[in-house]
Short mmCIF file of all heavy atoms in Angstrom, two decimals:
data_model
loop_
_atom_site.label_atom_id
_atom_site.label_comp_id
_atom_site.label_asym_id
_atom_site.label_seq_id
_atom_site.Cartn_x
_atom_site.Cartn_y
_atom_site.Cartn_z
N ARG C 40 196.52 51.49 -13.53
CA ARG C 40 197.95 51.52 -13.67
C ARG C 40 198.36 51.96 -15.10
O ARG C 40 199.32 52.68 -15.27
CB ARG C 40 198.55 50.13 -13.41
CG ARG C 40 198.73 49.90 -11.94
CD ARG C 40 199.22 48.48 -11.64
NE ARG C 40 199.32 48.24 -10.20
CZ ARG C 40 200.38 48.53 -9.46
NH1 ARG C 40 201.45 49.09 -10.04
NH2 ARG C 40 200.37 48.33 -8.18
N SER C 41 197.56 51.51 -16.06
CA SER C 41 197.87 51.89 -17.42
C SER C 41 197.57 53.37 -17.67
O SER C 41 198.28 54.04 -18.39
CB SER C 41 196.99 51.03 -18.32
OG SER C 41 197.08 51.45 -19.64
N GLY C 42 196.50 53.87 -17.04
CA GLY C 42 196.15 55.29 -17.14
C GLY C 42 195.52 55.61 -18.50
O GLY C 42 195.45 54.77 -19.41
N GLY C 43 194.98 56.85 -18.59
CA GLY C 43 194.36 57.35 -19.82
C GLY C 43 193.31 56.42 -20.32
O GLY C 43 192.47 55.87 -19.57
N ILE C 44 193.32 56.17 -21.63
CA ILE C 44 192.27 55.29 -22.20
C ILE C 44 192.51 53.84 -21.82
O ILE C 44 191.69 52.99 -22.08
CB ILE C 44 192.14 55.44 -23.74
CG1 ILE C 44 193.41 54.90 -24.43
CG2 ILE C 44 191.85 56.83 -24.17
CD1 ILE C 44 193.23 54.71 -25.93
N GLY C 45 193.64 53.56 -21.22
CA GLY C 45 193.96 52.20 -20.77
C GLY C 45 192.83 51.66 -19.86
O GLY C 45 192.54 50.48 -19.88
N LEU C 46 192.29 52.55 -19.10
CA LEU C 46 191.21 52.15 -18.17
C LEU C 46 190.05 51.59 -19.00
O LEU C 46 189.48 50.55 -18.61
CB LEU C 46 190.74 53.36 -17.34
CG LEU C 46 189.91 53.12 -16.12
CD1 LEU C 46 190.58 52.24 -15.12
CD2 LEU C 46 189.58 54.47 -15.50
N GLY C 47 189.68 52.26 -20.06
CA GLY C 47 188.60 51.80 -20.89
C GLY C 47 188.95 50.50 -21.63
O GLY C 47 188.14 49.62 -21.75
N LEU C 48 190.21 50.43 -22.11
CA LEU C 48 190.61 49.24 -22.84
C LEU C 48 190.59 48.00 -21.97
O LEU C 48 190.02 46.97 -22.35
CB LEU C 48 192.02 49.45 -23.45
CG LEU C 48 192.21 50.71 -24.33
CD1 LEU C 48 193.60 50.76 -24.92
CD2 LEU C 48 191.18 50.74 -25.47
N TRP C 49 191.16 48.15 -20.79
CA TRP C 49 191.15 47.01 -19.88
C TRP C 49 189.77 46.64 -19.39
O TRP C 49 189.43 45.50 -19.15
CB TRP C 49 192.11 47.24 -18.69
CG TRP C 49 193.56 47.07 -19.11
CD1 TRP C 49 194.47 48.02 -19.17
CD2 TRP C 49 194.22 45.88 -19.52
NE1 TRP C 49 195.72 47.55 -19.62
CE2 TRP C 49 195.54 46.20 -19.85
CE3 TRP C 49 193.78 44.52 -19.70
CZ2 TRP C 49 196.45 45.24 -20.29
CZ3 TRP C 49 194.71 43.57 -20.15
CH2 TRP C 49 196.01 43.96 -20.44
N GLY C 50 188.94 47.69 -19.27
CA GLY C 50 187.56 47.43 -18.91
C GLY C 50 186.84 46.58 -20.01
O GLY C 50 186.09 45.70 -19.70
N GLY C 51 187.15 46.88 -21.24
CA GLY C 51 186.63 46.10 -22.36
C GLY C 51 187.11 44.67 -22.29
O GLY C 51 186.31 43.73 -22.53
N VAL C 52 188.36 44.49 -21.97
CA VAL C 52 188.88 43.11 -21.80
C VAL C 52 188.14 42.38 -20.67
O VAL C 52 187.78 41.19 -20.77
CB VAL C 52 190.44 43.13 -21.56
CG1 VAL C 52 190.94 41.72 -21.39
CG2 VAL C 52 191.17 43.81 -22.72
#
Side-chain angles (χ1 to χ4, degrees):
Chain C
R40 276 177 184 274
S41 171
I44 66 166
L46 195 58
L48 304 183
W49 284 112
V52 178

